[in-house]
Amino acid sequence: MTAPATFHFSPRANRAHEIKWRGWGEDAFREAKETGKPVLLSLSAVWCHWCHVMDETSYSDEGVISFVNEHFIPVRVDNDQRPDVNARYNMGGWPTTAFLTPEGEILAGATYVPPDQMKDLLPKVNVHWQSNRLEIAGKAQELRERRQTAMSGERGELSGRSFDDILRSVIENYDPVYGGFGEAPKFPHTDAIDLLLYAYRKKRDPDLLHMARKTLEFMSRGGVFDHEWGGFFRYATRRDWSEPHFEKMLEDNAKLLSNLLSLYRSTKDDAHAETARRTIAYLEWKLRDKERGFFYGSQDADEEFYKLSKEDREREQEPYIDRTCYVSWNAMAVSAYLEASWTLEPSGGDGQRTDTRSAALAALEFLWEECRDPERGMYRFHDGSGPKILGLLGDQAHTAKALLDAHEVTGDSTYLDRALELARVMLGRFVDRENGGFYDVWDEVQDVGRLKDRQKSLQDNTVCAEVFLRLYHLRREEDYRTIAQATLEAFVSAYPHMGYFAAGYARQVDTLLNPPAEVNIVGDVVSASGLHRAALWLDVPSRVVQVFDPARDGERLEALSLPAEPSPAAYACFGTMCSAPVRDPDALIETVRRMQQAAVGPASAS
């Protein structure tokens, strides 16, 4: 993994570039060891307001610039480009200001440090390092050993208790006045919203739907939604979703779009669909490269600009757009757009379905053709000059999920084959065969700082579990289910400490223990379209859908023991129950409803 050589500084006047920044990598840490200097690590992001402020203040101070250049090896890292570095060194937000030993262990750290404090802190850290090297080295070794021990924990046994515990945490942290979770500042917590909607379809408790609905409605009506341009800001500083931090992230908008679509399918309230459409409209207008197909990463915060009307904004210079293609975020947007393509299917011919589907597939094709090494998997990002940074788990997992979504929506087995290719990369380079789960970096990671201590992210492993569970249901190969189960078992001891931040994990545990509805549809794309849409819209907690064209997929039909005739026809399975061929969309919905009712009882399936 080689760090990029260029750096992004505040768009306003500053002198931060006068600090002799190095990129993250072996060269910087080798220089630190050879000179005996500690490392000053600055973790920033192009959209980050306080990162810009630190560039304009602390890193523009003459005394800070000269002291850093003389006594430290300054290393600057973009969080979006290097989530692996951020995962090991973030001190609670951006910017992160971390002081490291030449081996990469943390001496001290903070977030934003004002100029006067910075001028006081720099010499203190330097004196402490120069005076206590042996003691610091000994403590660093102890910390390394503890981390290695912590990573080798044993797997636990999965049970429905995980789902119940995490759902309870979501409910207990719900804000009944303004929606959302916890006090100020208010973040979207999209996985928690998703879990509420999943649990509603499972339990039919109207309170669960109410909590998800109130959260999204208050966000959509509040200051965290841009009522002039559309799209969501990153978070709000107040409990009532007002006074937002104004940066707009592709990742956040993709996840919230999916939440809104899921909510709309339960409520049929067009206000929810309209917010989803306005979010898509913003992404199309500002964050998609229509020529090359992919999505941009973010648009900067600018408090004064976003308080203007739409007309007044047109007369001002708009906030900076990071036109980098981040692979995992693009994959999230692809998944959300594909969901929109069948959820918002228009009756008036406005083209929404065609536009979102074609846009999603264009972005997915860019990722596959321009952001992938055929032998080594997905890169982290593409900055216009080419793809950069191989070997991060999240990019493999989210792209594989997007490919499975494309297979489900189009019926094209090419996307399934590509997902299987990435699954092989994940199993070959990232999996922990002994203890279960997947490491966040591959087995080729550089021995630089804490990167050599491979970690397991619960969020990324949740996506991995989903990918392998879906592959199991699509291919009927038991090994995939075994991998998914081991992945979830690896976090049995960790999830209780994460509360509602483990919401995505809860959903996958329940999906493994209570298998989704499976619908296999035999027929060409045109004749099977009604059955296909009915299957996608099934009102169940989760489902796996695939379409087989008898003229093209004869071998796959034979492998799954499905007949080519009658056509079109759907075959539904729920647990151990499977239906006779169903040829009418309404009959398919009723068939699955009855099967679900028989499987879980009338109280839950009514």
Side-chain angles (χ1 to χ4, degrees):
M1 287 188 259
T2 303
T6 56
F7 304 103
H8 182 91
F9 299 101
S10 170
R12 296 177 290 273
N14 69 89
R15 297 177 59 189
H17 61 278
E18 295 180 25
I19 294 175
K20 298 175 183 177
W21 298 106
R22 283 76 158 172
W24 177 275
E26 293 174 332
D27 291 346
F29 284 90
R30 184 185 305 113
E31 184 180 357
K33 291 173 185 175
E34 291 172 352
T35 59
K37 295 179 180 180
V39 172
L40 166 60
L41 173 63
S42 171
L43 275 171
S44 64
V46 298
W47 44 263
C48 167
H49 169 74
W50 284 103
C51 301
H52 297 165
V53 172
M54 195 154 180
D55 282 347
E56 298 154 21
T57 57
S58 303
Y59 291 142
S60 290
D61 183 275
E62 180 70 42
V64 170
I65 293 170
S66 61
F67 198 93
V68 168
N69 284 337
E70 182 175 355
H71 297 287
F72 289 86
I73 302 300
V75 173
R76 191 171 175 105
V77 172
D78 184 302
N79 161 73
D80 297 341
Q81 296 179 356
R82 296 305 301 265
D84 52 336
V85 177
N86 179 72
R88 288 155 175 79
Y89 291 105
N90 194 290
M91 293 291 165
W94 299 279
T96 274
T97 308
F99 299 96
L100 314 179
T101 70
E103 289 72 36
E105 293 299 329
I106 297 173
L107 291 167
T111 51
Y112 171 74
V113 183
D116 289 345
Q117 292 182 26
M118 193 70 166
K119 285 189 284 190
D120 182 57
L121 181 60
L122 287 168
K124 285 183 178 179
V125 171
N126 187 49
V127 168
H128 174 65
W129 161 245
Q130 301 297 348
S131 304
N132 301 278
R133 290 195 194 186
L134 289 177
E135 181 183 350
I136 291 169
K139 289 182 178 178
Q141 180 60 33
E142 290 179 16
L143 286 172
R144 277 194 295 272
E145 291 172 358
R146 285 182 198 168
R147 290 199 302 270
Q148 290 167 357
T149 301
M151 285 307 300
S152 61
E154 294 183 358
R155 302 198 323 235
E157 184 176 347
L158 296 176
S159 73
R161 178 181 173 183
S162 301
F163 180 85
D164 295 336
D165 287 348
I166 298 169
L167 179 61
R168 186 181 308 112
S169 179
V170 171
I171 294 169
E172 289 173 350
N173 285 278
Y174 171 73
D175 179 352
V177 180
Y178 297 107
F181 310 95
E183 298 291 329
K186 274 280 181 69
F187 286 86
H189 295 298
T190 51
D191 285 346
I193 299 170
D194 182 66
L195 184 63
L196 287 172
L197 293 168
Y198 176 94
Y200 167 69
R201 294 187 177 100
K202 177 181 171 70
K203 298 173 177 287
R204 296 301 171 187
D205 180 346
D207 288 344
L208 299 171
L209 177 61
H210 171 77
M211 284 184 266
R213 180 174 192 158
K214 186 167 187 175
T215 297
L216 289 170
E217 287 182 347
F218 267 75
M219 289 182 67
S220 301
R221 296 168 186 164
V224 79
F225 186 76
D226 185 349
H227 295 276
E228 300 298 320
W229 274 8
F232 289 89
F233 301 117
R234 194 165 72 93
Y235 71 97
T237 58
R238 297 179 67 86
R239 180 185 172 193
D240 63 355
W241 299 106
S242 65
E243 297 185 18
H245 264 221
F246 287 98
E247 55 268 7
K248 290 182 180 178
M249 313 296 298
L250 175 61
E251 175 184 22
D252 295 335
N253 278 276
K255 291 179 177 179
L256 283 164
L257 174 57
S258 182
N259 283 162
L260 287 162
L261 295 168
S262 181
L263 176 66
Y264 171 64
R265 292 197 298 276
S266 287
T267 65
K268 312 299 191 297
D269 185 337
D270 196 58
H272 305 146
E274 181 58 24
T275 307
R277 291 188 182 100
R278 293 204 64 199
T279 302
I280 292 169
Y282 168 75
L283 294 175
E284 286 292 292
W285 185 26
K286 296 297 182 183
L287 292 189
R288 191 162 78 84
D289 186 319
K290 294 182 176 62
E291 182 178 338
R292 292 181 290 177
F294 66 84
F295 294 87
Y296 302 140
S298 62
Q299 185 164 26
D300 267 9
D302 186 324
E303 183 174 353
E304 297 307 317
F305 179 88
Y306 284 114
K307 289 180 179 178
L308 299 174
S309 68
K310 186 174 183 179
E311 293 73 20
D312 288 339
R313 289 182 190 183
E314 292 174 357
R315 291 190 284 269
E316 301 291 331
Q317 182 175 345
E318 69 177 89
Y320 174 81
I321 293 175
D322 179 5
R323 288 177 165 78
T324 305
C325 170
Y326 298 101
V327 169
S328 64
W329 297 1
N330 266 259
M332 294 175 198
V334 167
S335 292
Y337 262 49
L338 288 168
E339 188 176 353
S341 74
W342 54 267
T343 300
L344 301 179
E345 182 174 8
S347 56
D350 63 9
Q352 181 77 64
R353 180 174 187 268
T354 302
D355 287 348
T356 51
R357 172 169 157 161
S358 61
L361 297 179
L364 193 55
E365 197 65 19
F366 182 87
L367 297 185
W368 192 257
E369 295 298 332
E370 303 295 334
C371 303
R372 177 183 63 99
D373 182 301
E375 304 298 325
R376 307 166 83 195
M378 306 304 298
Y379 285 87
R380 169 62 193 157
F381 65 95
H382 193 298
D383 62 1
S385 64
K388 306 285 193 305
I389 310 295
L390 283 165
L392 301 185
L393 175 65
D395 303 303
Q396 323 306 318
H398 282 285
T399 305
K401 178 182 180 298
L403 287 162
L404 292 178
D405 291 337
H407 170 62
E408 181 177 78
V409 170
T410 67
D412 188 342
S413 59
T414 300
Y415 296 114
L416 175 59
D417 293 338
R418 290 176 174 181
L420 288 165
E421 184 175 319
L422 288 184
R424 286 191 288 271
V425 171
M426 292 158 67
L427 291 173
R429 308 299 299 275
F430 295 89
V431 76
D432 180 351
R433 293 283 183 183
E434 183 177 354
N435 300 302
F438 293 82
Y439 294 112
D440 65 336
V441 294
W442 65 1
D443 52 4
E444 226 178 281
V445 65
Q446 289 180 334
D447 187 9
V448 178
R450 288 185 171 182
L451 283 189
K452 56 184 175 288
D453 298 326
R454 299 165 80 196
Q455 299 180 356
K456 294 176 186 174
S457 157
L458 177 61
Q459 282 71 31
D460 286 347
N461 272 267
T462 293
V463 181
C464 293
E466 177 182 347
V467 165
F468 283 94
L469 271 177
R470 289 172 69 177
L471 286 176
Y472 162 67
H473 288 288
L474 291 168
R475 302 277 292 187
R476 309 263 178 91
E477 294 182 21
E478 190 65 33
D479 285 351
Y480 293 135
R481 187 185 187 280
T482 300
I483 290 292
Q485 180 171 334
T487 300
L488 296 171
E489 288 174 345
F491 292 90
V492 168
S493 62
Y495 85 79
H497 306 290
M498 302 187 69
Y500 61 89
F501 287 89
Y505 173 79
R507 174 171 178 167
Q508 296 311 316
V509 169
D510 190 71
T511 303
L512 184 136
L513 297 176
N514 301 287
E518 293 182 35
V519 182
N520 292 313
I521 300 168
V522 178
D524 64 80
V525 173
V526 176
S527 67
S529 61
L531 288 169
H532 191 192
R533 187 166 189 271
L536 294 172
W537 265 81
L538 284 172
D539 191 19
V540 293
S542 59
R543 79 285 178 279
V544 175
V545 177
Q546 58 182 333
V547 179
F548 303 91
D549 185 337
R552 180 194 63 201
D553 300 318
E555 192 173 312
R556 293 175 61 223
L557 285 170
E558 186 176 347
L560 295 179
S561 301
L562 290 171
E565 294 294 338
S567 173
Y571 300 83
C573 292
F574 209 106
T576 58
M577 297 177 289
C578 290
S579 74
V582 181
R583 308 201 65 187
D584 177 75
D586 291 336
L588 174 61
I589 295 169
E590 178 62 18
T591 296
V592 172
R593 189 192 70 80
R594 289 179 178 176
M595 294 170 73
Q596 182 189 21
Q597 191 172 37
V600 300
S604 299
S606 60

